[in-house]
Amino acid sequence: NNNNNNNNNNNNNSSSSSSSSNSTNNNSHNYRTSKDNINPLEEFLLDRLSDHDFADIIENQSAEARWSSIRDLAAQMKRLHTLLGFTTSISRELDLDKSSEKVAQHVCEILNADRASLYLIEENRNMLVSKSMALDSTGKAQSTGEIKVPIGKGIVGYVAAEGQVLNVADAHEEPLFWPEVDKVTGYRTKTILCMPVHDESGRVVAVVEAINKRSRDSSDVELFDAVDENVMRTLAHHAGISLRNSQLY
C-alpha cells in the first residue's frame, strides 16, 4: 500500500510539474507572439531590447517576418557604413558650399528621403538659404538648387526660430506647413523630419530637413521613425562641426 501511495504521489508531482512546464511554455509563446507585431530591430537599436530578447524574437518569428527583419538588419548595416563614411569625409571638408551639399546628400541617402535640404541662416537678411538634394532612380542624391525661406515661416522657419525638432506625418494637415515651396516647385510634400543644427555654443546656425521617406515595398512614402531621428541628430551634430570649421578656415 505504501508503494502504491508513493507511486500515486510521484504521478501527481509529475503531472503538476508537467502542467507548470506547459504553463511556462505557453507564457513564453504568448510573449513571443505579442512581440511579433513590433519592429524588433528598431526596438533593439533604441535599447529597448536586450541581445537575448532580440535573438529570441527573431528565432520565433514567422518566416515572412524573419525575412523582413533580415532585410531591415542589412539596410541598417548599410546605413551605418554610409554614416561612418559621412563623419569622416565631412570632418575634412572646409568649403562651405561643398560641406552643405554633402550634408544634404547624405541625409537623402542615409534616411532614404526623396528630398533633403540644409538651410543656412543668414541673420542679416532674416532668411534661410538651402542646399537641396533629391534622390534619383538609382538612389543617388542629385542637386536641385537653392530654396529661400524667411525665418519663422513654415516648418523650416519655425525650427530655426524655436530650435525644436519636428516630425510631421502629413505636411498638408500641419498648420505650420508653408505650401509656397510646393507651389513653386510642383512637388508634393507629405512626411517631414526637420531638425536644428547648433554650433558649439548651442546657437542654431542651420536647419536640416528630410522629406518623404521612400517606402521599401511600394511607391508610397513612410513616416520617419525614432531611429531616423537618432540618425538625423548624428548628422546634424557633425554638420554643425563642419559649418564651424568652414567659417574658421
Side-chain angles (χ1 to χ4, degrees):
N1 287 338
N2 288 336
N3 288 337
N4 288 336
N5 289 336
N6 289 335
N7 287 337
N8 288 335
N9 289 336
N10 289 338
N11 288 337
N12 288 336
N13 290 337
S14 176
S15 175
S16 176
S17 175
S18 176
S19 175
S20 175
S21 176
N22 288 337
S23 175
T24 300
N25 289 337
N26 287 337
N27 288 338
S28 179
H29 176 73
N30 289 337
Y31 166 79
R32 292 164 184 163
T33 302
S34 67
K35 293 290 185 180
D36 203 48
N37 293 325
I38 70 169
N39 182 333
L41 182 58
E42 179 178 333
E43 296 296 303
F44 177 66
L45 292 173
L46 294 173
D47 290 329
R48 295 171 183 164
L49 280 178
S50 67
D51 296 2
H52 180 272
D53 283 344
F54 175 67
D56 188 51
I57 290 171
I58 298 299
E59 181 181 356
N60 289 279
Q61 280 183 325
S62 64
E64 182 179 358
R66 189 183 302 117
W67 173 239
S68 178
S69 294
I70 291 172
R71 286 199 300 172
D72 286 344
L73 182 58
Q76 292 294 344
M77 291 297 292
K78 183 177 180 180
R79 172 187 277 191
L80 176 60
H81 178 76
T82 307
L83 183 59
L84 290 173
F86 164 76
T87 59
T88 301
S89 64
I90 200 69
S91 64
R92 299 171 180 167
E93 186 56 71
L94 300 179
D95 182 272
L96 183 59
D97 286 338
K98 290 181 180 179
S99 175
S100 300
E101 288 183 357
K102 279 188 176 182
V103 172
Q105 173 194 345
H106 282 84
V107 169
C108 252
E109 295 177 356
I110 294 173
L111 295 184
N112 200 30
D114 195 52
R115 295 197 175 188
S117 300
L118 178 71
Y119 289 84
L120 302 179
I121 294 178
E122 294 188 355
E123 293 180 342
N124 59 327
R125 293 194 295 163
N126 200 37
M127 189 74 66
L128 290 156
V129 181
S130 80
K131 294 293 182 182
S132 300
M133 293 284 180
L135 288 184
D136 61 20
S137 58
T138 67
K140 294 295 183 182
Q142 305 294 332
S143 176
T144 59
E146 186 178 87
I147 300 173
K148 296 182 179 180
V149 178
I151 293 177
K153 195 76 172 179
I155 289 174
V156 171
Y158 175 85
V159 170
E162 301 298 327
Q164 296 181 10
V165 176
L166 286 182
N167 190 340
V168 179
D170 189 340
H172 291 269
E173 296 295 325
E174 169 56 55
L176 289 172
F177 180 65
W178 188 44
E180 193 62 30
V181 176
D182 274 13
K183 290 178 182 177
V184 171
T185 62
Y187 186 75
R188 176 76 177 181
T189 300
K190 187 174 181 182
T191 60
I192 299 173
L193 179 58
C194 195
M195 192 169 291
V197 176
H198 299 92
D199 64 12
E200 73 281 359
S201 67
R203 184 172 60 100
V204 178
V205 294
V207 173
V208 61
E209 179 184 53
I211 295 175
N212 291 358
K213 181 180 177 180
R214 288 185 174 183
S215 173
R216 184 180 60 193
D217 301 315
S218 71
S219 58
D220 201 3
V221 299
E222 294 181 351
L223 302 181
F224 292 101
D225 57 29
V227 175
D228 295 323
E229 290 186 18
N230 284 345
V231 171
M232 179 80 100
R233 284 189 183 90
T234 300
L235 291 166
H237 173 72
H238 286 280
I241 294 173
S242 177
L243 293 177
R244 178 61 176 165
N245 290 341
S246 299
Q247 292 167 349
L248 287 176
Y249 301 103

